Each structure stands twice: as C-alpha cells, then as structure tokens.
Amino acid sequence: MSLTTSTPPTPLTPVQDDANDKCENAIALTSLPTMRKGTTYDATPDFDLTSFDTCGASLQSKGVWYTLETDTRRIIRTEYTLHKATCSLSIFTGSCGNSLVCLSSHQKYRGVNHDFVAEANTRYSFLLSGRSADDVGEYEFTVSTFEIPGNNECKTSIDIAVLPFSSEGSTLGATPYFDSEANNLCEGMDWYTRGVWYHFLGGGTILRVESDEKSLTLFKGSCDDLICLSHGYAVTEFWAEVGSTYHIMLTGNRYQPFTNAGAYRLDVSEYAVPDNDSCETASSISDLPATIRGSTKGSRPDFNNEVCGASPDGFGVWYSFTGAGNIITFTTSTTEQYKTVRYTVFSGPCGSLSCEQSYDLFDRSGQFVTENGTDYKLLLTGEDFDDRDNFELQINQYSFAMNDLCKDAVELKEFPFSGDMKGATPDTAIQCVRYTTSSYPGVWFSYVGTGNLIGLDATLVGSWDWALLTGFCDGLSCHHRGSEHSRKVLTFETELGVQYYFFLATKNNLVDNPFTIAVAAENAWCEDAVNIQKFPFSYSGEVKGSTNNTDISCTEGRTSTNPGVWFSYVGTGNLVNWTISFDDSSWEWASMAGSCDRLICYLQDSERGQEVLTFQTIVGRQYFFYISSGNNIDNSFSVEVVDYVV
C-alpha cells in the first residue's frame, strides 16, 4: 500500500469515523498527516481468555482500530486523546487474529503521544481503547510523519570542510542508524538512538563541538569501521589527528535519545595553536620576576609517552630561561580552580632534552634550583586533556636563604623570631625517614639546651612540617617530628649543653611563606602555673605560645588536645567564683586538685564566649585551673576570680 505525505495544514480538519470496532474492520490510513474522530461508546471488547497477547489492553476495554503501511522507513508520530478517561494505545504488527504481534503499549489519562520507527512495507495496527470498560468516550487520533533528513545516515553525513562551522536543522525525522546487533556503540548508548550525521578530516588541532541541549556522539574512522570516542555531552573538545576522519552523530539528550528529538544548532570551531606550543618555539624569559598570561586550550601533544613526569595527554606550552645559580619559583592560577598544573623542567637542546625536575602540585606552586649559565626549558601542562585552560604564570627568583643549610642554622636567642621561606630548598639529609619533611623546602635554627623545658610556637601561612634533631650537621639524629596547618607548639625538655637543630618546612611549596617563632607562654605548663595568692584576682593574656597538655585526666573532654595556660591556688574553704572571657571563640577549662605529677580531675566543661564558674574549695587543698583554646588559635582571654564566704 502506498502512503502519501504532505505539509500539514494548520489546523488539521478531523475526519469522522465509525464501523471500525474490530481489527478486521480497521480503517486504513493512506495519507499523512491525518486527524480522525469518533467514539468508543458502542465498541465491544476485542479480546477474550483465548487471546495470546492483548498488548496492554484489558479484556473488558472497548476500542476501535486503524492500520498504516509505509513504503519507506520513517518516524511515525501518534497522538491519541480520550476525553475524561484513561487512554490505552496498543500498536501491533502482523495480521488480525492470533498473528498480531505487540510492538508497544501506552496508557495515560486523557492522552497518549508516542513516536516510533515504521519499517518499510510493514503493516501496523493501532487499537484505541481505555484502561477499563468504563473508559469510553469521544476520541481524537492524529497520525503524522516527518521529512527524513538528508544526513540521516553516516554515509550521507554533511562534510565540514571549513572552520568555524555552524549548522541548524531538526532530528525529528531521523531514524536509528544502528541495530540491536551493533558492536560499535558507545558505552551507555542505546542502539535505537536516532540523529543526524556530520564528518570532517582532522587537521592536527584542538576542536570544540557544541550543540544546544542535544547529545553529541563522536566517532573516529570510516562509516564501516566506527570507533567511539565520546558520547552523551552537549559540548566536547578533542585532539583531531592529522588525516583522521571523524564523524559526529547529533541526537536527543543521553537520557531520552529517541523521544527528545527536535530543532538543533551545531557549532564546530578550533582553538588557535599557541606560538610557544613546541620546545623549538619556546618563549624566552629573560627578566625576572615575570608575570605571563597564556592558554593551553589550543596546545598540541608534546610526547607520545610519559616523559619526565609529563603525561602524553597533558598538552602544554614551553618557556626557556638561563640559570643564574639561584632558585626559580613558579606559581600558576587558572580560570577553573580545579585544574591540575604540572611543571616539567628540562635542560639541553630540544633534540636531546635531559629531565631535571617535575612537579604535579594541587596548589600550583613549585621551585627549581638552577646552575649558573645552564639553559633550561619549562613545560607547563596539566595531567590530562581536560586540564587545558587559560592561566597566569608568575616566575620569581631568589638567592638561597641564609639558613637554608644546617651548617648555616640561625641560633635562637631572642624571641619572637620572624622570617620567611624565600630561597629555602629541600633537605635530604634529615633522617626522620618515616615522614616526608625532607622533601619540602625549609630553613634551619639551632638551640643549645639549658636543661629546662622549652616550647617553640611556630606560626605560618598554610600547612607546614617541622623536625627537631640533635647531634651535628654531618650526623643528625631525629629527636621529634610533627606537622600541622597554620600553627603548632613544639614542646620538649632540653639537656644541658646538647646541641639541637630545628628544621621548619613549608608543605605546600609557598616559598615566600612568612613565619614567626616564639617561646611558650609563661604559664604554659603546670609547673609554671600563675599562683593566685590574693582575692579578688584579675589576669589578661593570650593562649599564644601555650602547649597541649596530655597529662590532664579529665578524659571525657578534649581539653588536653588543645593548647592552654595554667593557674594555681590553695583552697580557703570558701566558694570561688571564676569569670572567664575569650575573644569570640570556643574554649575549654578543667579544674584539678593534687600536684602537677598527679592531677585529679575536679570539674571540666567547655563554652563559647563567657562563662561564670562557682565551686566549693577545701581548706589547704592545692587546686590547678587549666584554660585552653578550643579552636587552636592565638586567643586572647581574661580571668576574674573572687573568693567569698557563704
């Protein structure tokens, strides 16, 4: 049967139908689009208990029938409404009776819309009914089709010969290209995905393909040997190899690849190749410090395999500079902060590069020690293709820090001591091998033991490491080691006359990282508690320079894990009232009795801002009061203590 199609008038004129109560009396649709009207009031049930497959229709439902046959493979759209009732649309192939084969069934209140692929020279039967015997009434049934796009198949794809390229069209008439046996589908791609096709020849540049709310599937190779590269995105960027053929299939979104068809716009463009895309065209850096703005978005591959830590998927730009026997630092910021930055430094000519150093740092900072007169190449890349971005590169140079080596350690005599990490380098001689301190740039300090307890309070910007060592620079022994973010107090008991070395390193390679070293607070230990001899008592101070006190036995709290200061007094048998104020910060306190070497927890609590504490004392008993900063910062506080008789 021949099917004719035409441009639909607006609106369609409905055709009133009747006498199509059974499959054998189905009305044949020979011209599309068409709108049919009728009623299911007088229809009778179409199936009984002997029916093999009712295709979603109940045995009690009443319906009418239509048939359609097309001489070409095309998309058919059906729209069925049953006023004030639940619609049931069943689509069959085959002839009436037990030869009917269910293709699909659909139910929805008041209306069903469904698109499907009609194969050429195949008879389709449509049963329009309700969910039950009560779902009857006046109906409308519209059947239409769409013009098949000229680029409906891979072999009729549109050639993209000139870039940039833009195209507009519709995927409504597109039919599925693959079948259920296809073995070259992309992961997550359904074989019945329908769309339109484009192709182009790679030119050795980075291409950007984007479409408005549609899904792009990218293949490499000929139509007979397609290899999937990506699927399911509205925007994709990729390296188009010289001479390779690529195909783009543009479809509905990845979650509705068949039904989400419609109008589209496709844009294909290429990124400009940076002037310093290769080692041979590296940009020269002659004056430092320097701030350089650029982009790796159009960069081409630099290597076929990983070289000196640089990934073949990194795609970067090149710079050249001559060493001056100092320290060069690199810091990069990108438009999108989650991008990974890798610095790879080579020496020698481009034809025989020698690997010097490679950094892959999340904080985007790195440093390199140069030799005077040596020519270097700096390759700035990401870890993979998606790390390409616009960037700002800052390059500085520093002389070596005066205390960069153990032998040049600054002796700690006066506090506080302030400095920075400019010109610091890693120290591989540190034997705290369990940790990574020696891999970070740092500076050295020395201290001769006095036999007393000492606390060093180091404050830096960012994360840092420290190591306390004894002995001599050519034979150091690890004494203690730690790491912290922003601030940490190192407390240790010194031996008289023993030489100590303190190595302070920045973990995030911020080589200009400022720091301050101070001694601990006067009452940072129980033995040095401020003695309250007379009431009322007032005291103002800071937690800065205090230490953690792990010997506090108020185990239900966290007091001992935070730095704090100590006070002491002898009980009078009266009530003691404490008023404690911190500068807008969390804090903790513990009241104990006994001696510093054997403290007994009396009271413990935590609060924010201000608290008044009152408790009864025993005549002659020694009390200690410990106040700690809950958030580990340089917290100012004040204390008011009153002793009064009840």
Side-chain angles (χ1 to χ4, degrees):
M1 180 183 296
S2 177
L3 178 73
T4 61
T5 61
S6 61
T7 302
T10 305
L12 282 172
T13 301
V15 177
Q16 187 75 34
D17 292 325
D18 57 21
N20 56 338
D21 178 41
K22 298 299 179 183
C23 177
E24 294 78 2
N25 300 325
I27 295 175
L29 304 176
T30 59
S31 178
L32 299 183
T34 183
M35 176 185 287
R36 321 297 289 207
K37 296 183 65 175
T39 179
T40 61
Y41 280 120
D42 299 326
T44 58
D46 294 279
F47 302 103
D48 56 33
L49 293 176
T50 65
S51 301
F52 180 73
D53 187 356
T54 65
C55 202
S58 72
L59 298 181
Q60 295 79 29
S61 62
K62 307 170 185 179
V64 294
W65 292 78
Y66 291 88
T67 64
L68 171 71
E69 187 172 338
T70 175
D71 51 4
T72 58
R73 189 175 192 246
R74 62 174 59 249
I75 300 295
I76 298 297
R77 170 166 290 181
T78 58
E79 302 170 76
Y80 167 44
T81 58
L82 185 61
H83 300 295
K84 297 183 179 180
T86 298
C87 301
S88 178
L89 172 63
S90 303
I91 305 177
F92 302 87
T93 59
S95 56
C96 297
N98 290 332
S99 296
L100 286 174
V101 178
C102 178
L103 180 65
S104 64
S105 63
H106 314 274
Q107 288 188 354
K108 191 175 181 180
Y109 181 65
R110 289 195 175 185
V112 169
N113 297 331
H114 178 64
D115 289 2
F116 70 98
V117 180
E119 301 293 343
N121 303 314
T122 300
R123 174 189 170 95
Y124 294 91
S125 298
F126 306 97
L127 171 59
L128 282 57
S129 63
R131 182 178 59 182
S132 67
D134 296 329
D135 289 307
V136 293
E138 302 292 331
Y139 72 84
E140 290 181 356
F141 183 47
T142 302
V143 183
S144 57
T145 187
F146 305 97
E147 181 180 353
I148 300 174
N151 56 339
N152 183 51
E153 298 185 2
C154 178
K155 292 184 177 180
T156 60
S157 59
I158 295 175
D159 180 27
I160 301 175
V162 179
L163 297 177
F165 172 85
S166 293
S167 178
E168 296 181 350
S170 175
T171 60
L172 283 173
T175 58
Y177 177 75
F178 300 100
D179 57 38
S180 58
E181 303 299 323
N183 58 9
N184 54 354
L185 296 174
C186 299
E187 183 177 355
M189 182 180 181
D190 295 313
W191 70 266
Y192 54 82
T193 298
R194 57 170 168 153
V196 293
W197 291 78
Y198 294 83
H199 74 271
F200 56 89
L201 194 64
T205 56
I206 304 295
L207 295 190
R208 179 180 176 88
V209 183
E210 54 188 319
S211 180
D212 50 344
E213 299 184 4
K214 292 295 183 286
S215 178
L216 297 166
T217 302
L218 179 65
F219 297 93
K220 181 180 179 181
S222 65
C223 293
D224 296 327
D225 189 24
L226 293 173
I227 301 173
C228 177
L229 297 182
S230 66
H231 166 68
Y233 302 98
V235 177
T236 185
E237 296 183 354
F238 63 99
W239 160 246
E241 299 177 16
V242 175
S244 294
T245 299
Y246 297 88
H247 285 87
I248 300 170
M249 184 183 184
L250 191 147
T251 67
N253 67 45
R254 64 186 303 177
Y255 305 107
Q256 298 173 304
F258 186 88
T259 59
N260 188 242
Y264 70 85
R265 176 184 174 88
L266 176 69
D267 292 289
V268 183
S269 58
E270 64 181 342
Y271 287 102
V273 178
D275 293 337
N276 57 337
D277 180 56
S278 66
C279 176
E280 291 76 10
T281 60
S283 297
S284 176
I285 302 173
S286 55
D287 296 323
L288 296 179
T291 299
I292 302 168
R293 294 175 178 84
S295 177
T296 57
K297 288 189 174 183
S299 299
R300 297 173 295 188
D302 296 290
F303 306 108
N304 294 324
N305 303 295
E306 182 176 313
V307 176
C308 194
S311 167
D313 300 322
F315 293 64
V317 290
W318 292 77
Y319 297 91
S320 64
F321 61 93
T322 301
N326 55 10
I327 297 175
I328 299 293
T329 66
F330 315 110
T331 303
T332 301
S333 59
T334 54
T335 302
E336 298 181 51
Q337 292 301 310
Y338 65 87
K339 303 289 188 179
T340 301
V341 177
R342 174 171 286 278
Y343 308 92
T344 305
V345 181
F346 301 92
S347 62
C350 292
S352 56
L353 293 171
S354 297
C355 176
E356 294 290 341
Q357 204 156 3
S358 186
Y359 298 89
D360 174 20
L361 301 173
F362 181 75
D363 56 32
R364 301 152 188 243
S365 299
Q367 69 172 20
F368 176 66
V369 178
T370 69
E371 294 186 13
N372 190 37
T374 299
D375 292 328
Y376 296 97
K377 297 291 191 300
L378 168 64
L379 173 60
L380 177 63
T381 67
E383 277 299 277
D384 55 41
F385 181 81
D386 292 333
D387 286 326
R388 299 160 25 260
D389 201 359
N390 300 323
F391 65 85
E392 180 179 280
L393 171 64
Q394 294 181 337
I395 305 179
N396 290 286
Q397 62 179 348
Y398 300 102
S399 299
F400 293 100
M402 65 176 183
N403 56 339
D404 180 52
L405 302 176
C406 176
K407 67 181 183 64
D408 299 318
V410 172
E411 185 175 0
L412 293 174
K413 292 182 177 180
E414 297 182 0
F415 298 93
F417 181 92
S418 297
D420 57 47
M421 293 291 178
K422 292 178 181 177
T425 61
D427 286 77
T428 56
I430 298 178
Q431 297 303 310
C432 296
V433 293
R434 181 181 173 188
Y435 305 98
T436 55
T437 306
S438 62
S439 64
Y440 302 125
V443 289
W444 288 84
F445 302 90
S446 65
Y447 182 81
V448 178
T450 61
N452 298 325
L453 198 67
I454 185 172
L456 297 180
D457 175 20
T459 305
L460 287 87
V461 177
S463 298
W464 54 277
D465 264 3
W466 53 262
L468 180 68
L469 307 103
T470 58
F472 301 95
C473 291
D474 57 355
L476 292 170
S477 298
C478 184
H479 185 278
H480 208 65
R481 186 264 175 208
S483 65
E484 190 55 58
H485 180 76
S486 181
R487 177 175 179 268
K488 183 75 173 182
V489 175
L490 168 63
T491 305
F492 59 100
E493 188 169 351
T494 67
E495 295 183 25
L496 182 63
V498 172
Q499 180 71 61
Y500 294 91
Y501 288 94
F502 183 61
F503 180 70
L504 187 62
T506 175
K507 292 177 66 174
N508 50 8
N509 262 347
L510 295 173
V511 293
D512 57 348
N513 199 343
F515 64 86
T516 300
I517 300 177
V519 291
E522 62 172 344
N523 53 340
W525 300 279
C526 178
E527 292 81 356
D528 296 321
V530 172
N531 187 24
I532 303 174
Q533 297 180 338
K534 184 178 180 180
F535 297 97
F537 172 81
S538 296
Y539 185 94
S540 297
E542 295 180 338
V543 179
K544 181 176 181 179
S546 62
T547 64
N548 300 335
N549 285 263
T550 56
D551 55 349
I552 298 178
S553 58
C554 296
T555 54
E556 68 271 17
R558 296 182 298 105
T559 309
S560 62
T561 64
N562 299 317
V565 290
W566 292 81
F567 299 88
S568 67
Y569 58 96
V570 177
T572 61
N574 299 328
L575 286 175
V576 174
N577 185 89
W578 289 73
T579 302
I580 307 170
S581 298
F582 267 87
D583 288 345
D584 189 26
S585 170
S586 296
W587 55 276
E588 292 184 314
W589 57 264
S591 179
M592 290 156 282
S595 59
C596 289
D597 59 352
R598 192 174 181 179
L599 292 169
I600 299 173
C601 184
Y602 189 71
L603 288 173
Q604 192 274 339
D605 204 350
S606 62
E607 191 52 66
R608 175 180 292 274
Q610 177 173 318
E611 179 76 345
V612 177
L613 313 171
T614 303
F615 52 91
Q616 179 73 45
T617 66
I618 298 175
V619 176
R621 174 169 289 185
Q622 180 70 58
Y623 292 93
F624 290 91
F625 198 81
Y626 181 70
I627 303 174
S628 68
S629 174
N631 55 5
N632 214 24
I633 64 172
D634 301 334
N635 205 341
S636 299
F637 69 93
S638 62
V639 175
E640 299 285 340
V641 187
V642 178
D643 175 89
Y644 56 92
V645 179
V646 179

